Amino acid sequence: MENIIYDTGFSGNEWFVLGIIAAALIPIWFFPRRFSPLQITFNMLIGIAFGLIFDHTIEIPPFDLYDLGDQTKFQLFDLFSYTMYAPFGYWYIYGYERLRMYEWMTIPYILFWAGLSLCFEWLGDYAGVFHYKNGYQLIYSLPVYLILLSIHLMMYRHAFAYTRWRKSHG
């Protein structure tokens, strides 16, 4: 596999990653606390885990559909870039709980977040974080987001069902 170099040095894609991390993490300190430390950790780690698993699944052969960062070869900053997924997991569940998106409102909520995810991916592509290849297009990420957001919500609801029940009834 040939190593393609897209950029050298600290540039737009690294600033984008740092900006997203700061813009999404800093407000967490100022918003009212809705979660236990366990719930915060769960939601942030699930964002990172999903990013690592699914990005690497379609980023490496046999798929090889895009590259992340400055070059095809994995770099240390690529690992750091996965932390930008952490606050999205937090805000996704924060909004779900805060807005009480239960029952039939869950579907439009997941669709909204899938659209938001596409927007951020588009910005990441524009900033040089993602480099699509082999015919991959941004819209192909939509089903991935729909599946991951659904799984995240199911896992959260299953893991913290008692906590949610206890908060609302006690």
Side-chain angles (χ1 to χ4, degrees), residues 111-129:
L111 290 170
F112 168 79
W113 272 89
L116 187 65
S117 299
L118 282 176
C119 290
F120 276 99
E121 184 177 333
W122 177 81
L123 289 170
D125 176 38
Y126 183 77
V129 175

Side-chain angles (χ1 to χ4, degrees), residues 31-53:
F31 274 68
R33 299 269 184 244
R34 296 195 59 81
F35 303 121
S36 70
L38 179 62
Q39 289 170 302
I40 292 169
T41 303
F42 175 86
N43 288 315
M44 288 194 170
L45 286 179
I46 213 165
I48 294 171
F50 282 171
L52 279 167
I53 292 167

Side-chain angles (χ1 to χ4, degrees), residues 88 92 107-123 138-139 141-143 145-146 149:
F88 284 95
Y92 173 61
I107 293 171
Y109 188 71
I110 291 171
L111 290 170
F112 168 79
W113 272 89
L116 187 65
S117 299
L118 282 176
C119 290
F120 276 99
E121 184 177 333
W122 177 81
L123 289 170
L138 175 67
I139 196 66
S141 296
L142 181 60
Y145 291 131
L146 291 171
L149 290 165

Side-chain angles (χ1 to χ4, degrees), residues 16-38:
F16 176 82
V17 169
L18 293 175
I20 290 294
I21 292 169
L25 278 179
I26 290 171
I28 291 172
W29 295 103
F30 299 106
F31 274 68
R33 299 269 184 244
R34 296 195 59 81
F35 303 121
S36 70
L38 179 62

Side-chain angles (χ1 to χ4, degrees), residues 2-151:
E2 176 187 355
N3 184 35
I4 302 168
I5 298 174
Y6 299 103
D7 195 2
T8 56
F10 201 86
S11 61
N13 64 357
E14 288 88 2
W15 283 114
F16 176 82
V17 169
L18 293 175
I20 290 294
I21 292 169
L25 278 179
I26 290 171
I28 291 172
W29 295 103
F30 299 106
F31 274 68
R33 299 269 184 244
R34 296 195 59 81
F35 303 121
S36 70
L38 179 62
Q39 289 170 302
I40 292 169
T41 303
F42 175 86
N43 288 315
M44 288 194 170
L45 286 179
I46 213 165
I48 294 171
F50 282 171
L52 279 167
I53 292 167
F54 285 92
D55 279 358
H56 280 290
T57 299
I58 62 176
E59 183 180 3
I60 60 173
F63 302 110
D64 197 22
L65 299 175
Y66 66 85
D67 292 325
L68 179 71
D70 289 341
Q71 55 185 288
T72 304
K73 188 174 78 173
F74 187 78
Q75 296 181 300
L76 183 58
F77 197 84
D78 296 344
L79 183 62
F80 184 69
S81 70
Y82 287 107
T83 60
M84 73 179 168
Y85 295 121
F88 284 95
Y90 175 88
W91 289 116
Y92 173 61
I93 298 299
Y94 184 92
Y96 177 79
E97 290 285 1
R98 181 82 173 125
L99 299 172
R100 302 188 196 297
M101 291 290 161
Y102 310 127
E103 298 172 10
W104 68 272
M105 286 302 296
T106 301
I107 293 171
Y109 188 71
I110 291 171
L111 290 170
F112 168 79
W113 272 89
L116 187 65
S117 299
L118 282 176
C119 290
F120 276 99
E121 184 177 333
W122 177 81
L123 289 170
D125 176 38
Y126 183 77
V129 175
F130 304 106
H131 306 279
Y132 303 133
K133 55 188 188 178
N134 297 327
Y136 193 80
Q137 297 177 20
L138 175 67
I139 196 66
Y140 298 161
S141 296
L142 181 60
V144 174
Y145 291 131
L146 291 171
I147 291 167
L148 292 180
L149 290 165
S150 299
I151 292 171

